[in-house]
Amino acid sequence: MDIRELHRDLVSLHERPDPAHTTDGVRQLLGTILSQSVADAQTARATHALFERYPDYQAMETAPHEELADVIEVAGLKNQKAARIQRALTAIREETDGEYTLGFLADQPTDAAQSWLTNIKGIGPKTASVVLNFHFEKPTFAVDTHVERLAKRFGLLDSTASNKRAHTELNEQVPDDLKYSLHVLMITHGREYCTAQNPDCANPVCKIYCSCSACGSSDGS
């Protein structure tokens, strides 16, 4: 498959995504942690509650665990996510001698920056890739459930590929200049049409690329 053609057809259907605008890498990281395994609406509510409750990152890091977990409860997995948030803030503070900034990752090679983030327990390749791509515009391709599902249905991945393998293979396949926009477009398409259950295949992208059972055949006809 020509990935640039897929990208072109997704843009024709959904329009080109707006550029990412994130001015605070730490906030991007915490919001991405909150987004793990939950819908956008719940992520937004939990993020708002977190930043409304605590005046700064030091207050978040030093808050009682149970209190922080209750503040972000709407995001689900509250105890795990509270621990991940506090571990991340501690790691950032220790790396920067007391500052809460990810600015030190800006000039690091992508692999090194990704490695630093994923060394924090609870931060996997998807979370790290989102932060590096959305905030730093580094060439990383984040693979969430929508992207992985579409990549398998569209033949970019073998159906048995693990999420770890999906990250490796898609980061190799997707051109650097398309990594951000294709990620956003695949999520949009996965939410609007090529859903996990009862997909709506009556759209030009699925007709060309999709091989899910709802499309009826491997070429989507």
Side-chain angles (χ1 to χ4, degrees):
M1 178 193 296
D2 188 320
I3 290 180
R4 290 192 181 277
E5 290 185 2
L6 170 62
H7 179 266
R8 177 203 63 202
D9 292 337
L10 285 166
V11 169
S12 294
L13 181 61
H14 299 291
E15 299 185 349
R16 189 175 296 275
D18 292 331
H21 293 290
T22 63
T23 58
D24 183 344
V26 178
R27 186 181 180 112
Q28 175 76 64
L29 174 59
L30 301 191
T32 308
I33 290 171
L34 290 172
S35 75
Q36 295 167 349
S37 304
V38 72
D40 285 352
Q42 292 160 282
T43 300
R45 289 169 58 194
T47 303
H48 176 77
L50 177 65
F51 283 87
E52 184 176 57
R53 174 64 181 82
Y54 299 107
D56 52 41
Y57 293 124
Q58 183 180 29
M60 293 179 196
E61 182 191 357
T62 59
H65 173 84
E66 296 80 5
E67 176 189 286
L68 177 61
D70 287 344
V71 169
I72 63 170
E73 183 173 13
V74 68
L77 301 174
K78 66 176 186 177
N79 288 311
Q80 294 95 317
K81 290 181 180 180
R84 291 168 190 170
I85 285 171
Q86 292 185 316
R87 279 196 297 266
L89 291 172
T90 298
I92 293 166
R93 175 178 52 77
E94 291 177 346
E95 181 71 22
T96 61
D97 293 325
E99 296 184 46
Y100 294 95
T101 175
L102 288 176
F104 64 92
L105 295 177
D107 295 327
Q108 290 191 13
T110 300
D111 288 348
Q114 182 115 5
S115 178
W116 190 89
L117 287 169
T118 55
N119 279 336
I120 301 171
K121 184 179 178 181
I123 296 181
K126 188 206 84 169
T127 297
S129 293
V130 167
V131 173
L132 294 176
N133 187 238
F134 282 45
H135 182 66
F136 294 103
E137 297 184 347
K138 289 182 181 290
T140 56
F141 188 74
V143 181
D144 74 346
T145 56
H146 297 292
V147 172
E148 184 175 340
R149 180 174 68 254
L150 266 64
K152 290 178 177 179
R153 289 178 176 178
F154 290 1
L156 297 172
L157 292 173
D158 184 87
S159 62
T160 62
S162 65
N163 184 261
K164 181 178 179 179
R165 182 176 148 201
H167 270 91
T168 300
E169 293 188 9
L170 290 176
N171 270 280
E172 292 174 351
Q173 291 182 52
V174 179
D176 287 351
D177 62 305
L178 299 186
K179 281 184 164 70
Y180 168 74
S181 57
L182 186 62
H183 167 81
V184 175
L185 286 164
M186 290 180 76
I187 289 175
T188 300
H189 194 73
R191 288 172 176 163
E192 295 185 7
Y193 292 105
C194 206
T195 54
Q197 304 295 327
N198 302 314
D200 175 6
C201 298
N203 66 84
V205 171
C206 283
K207 286 180 179 179
I208 296 171
Y209 301 101
C210 191
S211 63
C212 77
S213 59
C215 284
S217 71
S218 61
D219 64 1
S221 61

